[in-house]
Amino acid sequence: MKFVRETREGTRFLRLCDEEGGYHYNHGYYSMNRWVDDEHLVLSRSKELYQWEGAELVLVDLKRETETLIIDDANRAECVVFGDLVYYMRGVDLMRYTISTGEKTLVWEGEPHGAKEGHRPGLPHITADGRYISLQNGHDAPANTRAWVIDTETGNCETFLIPPFAPPLWRVTHVMVCPTDKDKVFFCHEGTTQYISNRLWLWEKGKENRVLVKQRLDEQGNLADCLGHECWCPDGKGLYYVKYPVFGKAPYGLAYVSLDGELSAPDVRYSKYRYWHVCVSPDGKKLASDTIERESGVCVIDLETGEEKQYLHTGPDRTHPTHPHPAFSPSSTRICFQDYREENGKAQMLGVGIIDL
């Protein structure tokens, strides 16, 4: 890995990359924390840009400018970090790696709880106290989505099923436990955006699943609201999400929903750019987002002043894992994002950029 300082569009940033093209680096989905602290983060690396099965996980020290291989037995590039601990999937089991000691521990065995090799659990999300992790399985045909909320200390878990939506757009995904309440779990109706009637849902123990934002129709019966790419607020009282500018009626932008009740229309609050994904800073004072233009902009929104600032653009590739997916460091003073260079219309040398705010 090389640590390269660059300036683009007036923004200075640190780029973590492999100029020789041996490895591509990925910080993962924006809602799964990869920061250990402000000077360390865990990245995935792979020799194939679009193939991340069995990717290695490395600890990056930004101050000393070093990388250290720590995990070589993960299923995929995804993991979630909580302080000194890295949680990842090995087979159908949840594992924990302790950075300070190098110890690997089995946290939860998946098979006794319905996890199967053909549909391995994944998408780990963790509560603010590090006590509980949510997982979900995936399917290649309509079937119940199995989800788990796992106690990281005891290995005990709450297992529940989410029925598929009607075919052909039947998928359930983005299962994310509430940061402050293990008995509340977000999930979404996934699929072609302009055909998804209601995207944002809440599972709550002992209650019926409910829609958080009811999407409206226009005069012709088409969707007026296309929503998605949501993220919990740190206080667990609500979520931010995006009203996409690709279909439906204005206003478009970043919107908020409280868990106190269902919204009959999106509450759009920030509309300066054509936003794509959104996450909330750990201190609850900022949002980080990217944009849906051909070259995606990396943006930060100050919730106290209302300022919406675009720092720079990344390339035009629209395939995972090249989405910028900006995400905050623990102190909310840095963001990381996916960055790459393009040659002959194709993404090359996937790396991770770090901006000091």
Side-chain angles (χ1 to χ4, degrees):
M1 174 184 288
K2 289 192 175 181
F3 296 74
V4 182
R5 284 161 180 80
E6 297 186 10
T7 299
R8 186 186 303 162
E9 302 170 56
T11 296
R12 292 178 57 82
F13 68 103
L14 176 65
R15 188 167 188 269
L16 315 177
C17 59
D18 184 347
E19 292 290 348
E20 283 72 44
Y23 283 105
H24 299 278
Y25 289 88
N26 183 353
H27 77 78
Y29 202 58
Y30 61 91
S31 58
M32 292 184 281
N33 177 59
R34 303 296 285 267
W35 291 88
V36 179
D37 53 41
D38 278 12
E39 296 292 348
H40 302 83
L41 71 167
V42 175
L43 300 180
S44 309
R45 72 181 186 188
S46 172
K47 294 192 175 183
E48 299 293 332
L49 176 58
Y50 298 111
Q51 177 56 259
W52 288 84
E53 298 293 328
E56 297 174 333
L57 302 180
V58 296
L59 176 67
V60 179
D61 186 320
L62 299 176
K63 191 171 184 178
R64 294 184 174 85
E65 298 192 353
T66 61
E67 70 167 322
T68 304
L69 175 64
I70 57 173
I71 297 169
D72 61 3
D73 59 350
N75 294 349
R76 295 172 51 84
E78 63 188 30
C79 69
V80 64
V81 177
F82 182 79
D84 192 41
L85 309 175
V86 183
Y87 292 92
Y88 69 99
M89 299 306 302
R90 185 178 70 186
V92 297
D93 301 330
L94 177 65
M95 301 295 296
R96 177 172 57 226
Y97 177 85
T98 304
I99 294 172
S100 58
T101 65
E103 180 184 12
K104 290 181 181 178
T105 307
L106 174 65
V107 177
W108 173 81
E109 286 188 272
E111 188 174 0
H113 301 284
K116 297 180 179 179
E117 269 295 328
H119 303 289
R120 289 175 171 179
L123 294 177
H125 288 81
I126 196 165
T127 54
D129 60 4
R131 181 65 186 267
Y132 298 95
I133 286 179
S134 62
L135 299 172
Q136 71 162 84
N137 66 354
H139 290 284
D140 50 16
N144 287 332
T145 293
R146 189 179 295 270
W148 301 268
V149 177
I150 300 161
D151 187 324
T152 60
E153 292 186 6
T154 67
N156 296 331
C157 73
E158 176 86 35
T159 305
F160 58 96
L161 301 176
I162 306 173
F165 294 96
L169 303 175
W170 52 268
R171 290 187 181 276
V172 171
T173 188
H174 291 192
V175 169
M176 301 185 290
V177 66
C178 174
T180 57
D181 187 344
K182 67 179 180 62
D183 293 330
K184 296 177 181 176
V185 178
F186 174 86
F187 67 95
C188 83
H189 182 183
E190 184 66 281
T192 307
T193 304
Q194 60 265 38
Y195 301 130
I196 300 299
S197 55
N198 287 306
R199 163 94 175 193
L200 312 178
W201 290 77
L202 184 72
W203 174 90
E204 192 168 359
K205 187 175 181 179
K207 298 182 180 181
E208 296 225 349
N209 297 339
R210 66 182 174 96
V211 178
L212 292 174
V213 184
K214 294 179 179 177
Q215 295 175 214
R216 301 166 295 173
L217 302 179
D218 64 17
E219 294 80 1
Q220 286 74 44
N222 297 314
L223 276 179
D225 302 317
C226 292
L227 312 179
H229 287 132
E230 55 293 312
C231 192
W232 281 103
C233 294
D235 61 11
K237 294 180 179 180
L239 300 96
Y240 275 91
Y241 59 96
V242 182
K243 186 175 186 298
Y244 300 122
V246 296
F247 202 80
K249 289 185 173 182
Y252 308 110
L254 304 181
Y256 176 79
V257 59
S258 169
L259 296 193
D260 290 341
E262 296 175 358
L263 284 178
S264 58
D267 177 13
V268 177
R269 300 186 176 187
Y270 303 97
S271 299
K272 185 175 180 179
Y273 301 106
R274 292 167 53 84
Y275 293 115
W276 191 9
H277 308 86
V278 64
C279 72
V280 191
S281 62
D283 64 8
K285 296 180 179 180
K286 300 183 183 72
L287 304 177
S289 185
D290 46 22
T291 65
I292 207 165
E293 289 95 355
R294 183 177 182 274
E295 292 189 341
S296 185
V298 176
C299 306
V300 172
I301 297 88
D302 190 316
L303 296 178
E304 296 180 329
T305 67
E307 180 188 23
E308 301 173 62
K309 181 176 180 179
Q310 186 166 264
Y311 283 84
L312 49 75
H313 289 81
T314 63
D317 191 287
R318 293 289 300 276
T319 308
H320 282 297
T322 61
H323 298 177
H325 285 176
F328 289 96
S329 69
S331 71
S332 307
T333 60
R334 285 180 150 179
I335 56 171
C336 61
F337 63 97
Q338 291 300 147
D339 191 47
Y340 64 93
R341 296 175 184 174
E342 188 183 63
E343 295 178 11
N344 301 319
K346 293 184 179 181
Q348 304 288 332
M349 292 184 295
L350 182 67
V352 174
I354 309 289
I355 297 175
D356 290 316
L357 302 177

